[in-house]
Amino acid sequence: MSGFVVVIPARYQSSRLPAKPLADIGGKPMIQWVVEKAQKTGAKQVIVATDDERIETAVKAFGGEVCMTSVDHNSGTERLAEVCDKYNFAPDEIIVNVQGDEPLIPESVITQVYEGLAHNKLASMSTLAVKIDEVEEVFNPNAVKVLTDKDGYALYFSRASIPYDRDNFKAPPVKSIQDCYLRHVGIYAYYASFIKEYVSWEPSALENIESLEQLRVLWY
């Protein structure tokens, strides 16, 4: 199987900004910018997955492909699983999950997460991280940190300051950080078969504590 499919989960309801996917940006709804970014990657197919008819109408208006999904999903990954079922994707089809509120996402990021999985015969899922340079970001719970082993496999994701630099952090204010901190970038690529396996697992204790669904993968 070559190439990949992009699925863009998009919800109308949001505690911070309702109707965010339809927000006007330069005369286009936000979701259109995301779709167009994904299309520029050369993906075989770009599908918006939503449970709201207003988003469905907006996507169809600019010629995008949309899949209506259940209103009962608790996460974007669950919405992806329904799309996989409806489209009957082959088990080895690579699905890239792009957030519907990322209108500025570089096409290279989408391609990179796909290639990270396609070129690794051991993994079933891939994601990205970037180096943290600012002290404040290390201590920001909204910036999810990730620890990896020497080969780039994730060991843990956390909102906490990991790794905890005992000697440096014990006497605030912290003025510098070591060259090992990574911020997780919330984009994923998975094999279609793995998405189905993932949603069959119960949420883990760590996932619930941190409110980070990717920890379910490390748990199981």
Side-chain angles (χ1 to χ4, degrees):
M1 181 66 65
S2 61
F4 61 100
V5 173
V6 172
V7 179
I8 306 170
R11 295 178 63 249
Y12 187 89
Q13 298 298 333
S14 171
S15 57
R16 290 183 297 178
L17 182 60
K20 190 174 182 180
L22 302 183
D24 185 277
I25 301 176
K28 299 179 185 178
M30 179 185 292
I31 191 66
Q32 183 172 351
W33 289 98
V34 181
V35 168
E36 290 174 352
K37 286 279 190 176
Q39 290 171 335
K40 290 178 181 178
T41 66
K44 295 189 295 185
Q45 199 168 5
V46 178
I47 305 165
V48 175
T50 187
D51 59 5
D52 193 278
E53 292 181 354
R54 289 162 290 192
I55 294 177
E56 178 190 30
T57 298
V59 173
K60 287 183 175 179
F62 64 77
E65 183 173 356
V66 62
C67 178
M68 291 299 291
T69 57
S70 170
V71 299
D72 298 324
H73 295 312
N74 294 315
S75 69
T77 311
E78 291 181 5
R79 206 170 300 282
L80 259 68
E82 182 178 351
V83 174
C84 288
D85 285 338
K86 286 187 172 182
Y87 281 78
N88 196 28
F89 289 131
D92 61 347
E93 187 77 79
I94 293 180
I95 311 297
V96 177
N97 178 355
V98 176
Q99 298 302 311
D101 60 355
E102 295 278 359
L104 300 179
I105 187 170
E107 298 98 275
S108 60
V109 167
I110 300 173
T111 303
Q112 184 180 1
V113 75
Y114 156 68
E115 291 177 344
L117 181 57
H119 298 161
N120 186 315
K121 301 303 181 183
L122 300 177
S124 298
M125 171 181 173
S126 66
T127 189
L128 301 178
V130 296
K131 183 175 177 290
I132 295 176
D133 295 313
E134 301 296 329
V135 171
E136 293 76 11
E137 193 167 18
V138 171
F139 295 96
N140 180 357
N142 295 316
V144 176
K145 276 68 68 176
V146 57
L147 292 179
T148 71
D149 66 13
K150 63 181 178 61
D151 297 316
Y153 289 97
L155 298 172
Y156 193 65
F157 297 86
S158 182
R159 299 182 184 279
S161 306
I162 58 171
Y164 185 82
D165 189 340
R166 184 191 64 175
D167 293 336
N168 188 28
F169 292 175
K170 67 182 180 182
V174 177
K175 296 182 179 179
S176 63
I177 54 175
Q178 296 195 46
D179 190 29
C180 62
Y181 289 90
L182 295 173
R183 176 175 59 81
H184 178 230
V185 178
I187 184 171
Y188 303 93
Y190 336 66
Y191 288 106
S193 58
F194 181 74
I195 295 175
K196 294 180 181 181
E197 182 179 8
Y198 173 92
V199 297
S200 72
W201 298 330
E202 290 294 324
S204 70
L206 294 176
E207 171 186 354
N208 290 333
I209 290 170
E210 295 261 18
S211 292
L212 298 173
E213 65 170 320
Q214 64 267 35
L215 288 172
R216 194 182 311 182
V217 180
L218 302 183
W219 182 270
Y220 290 98

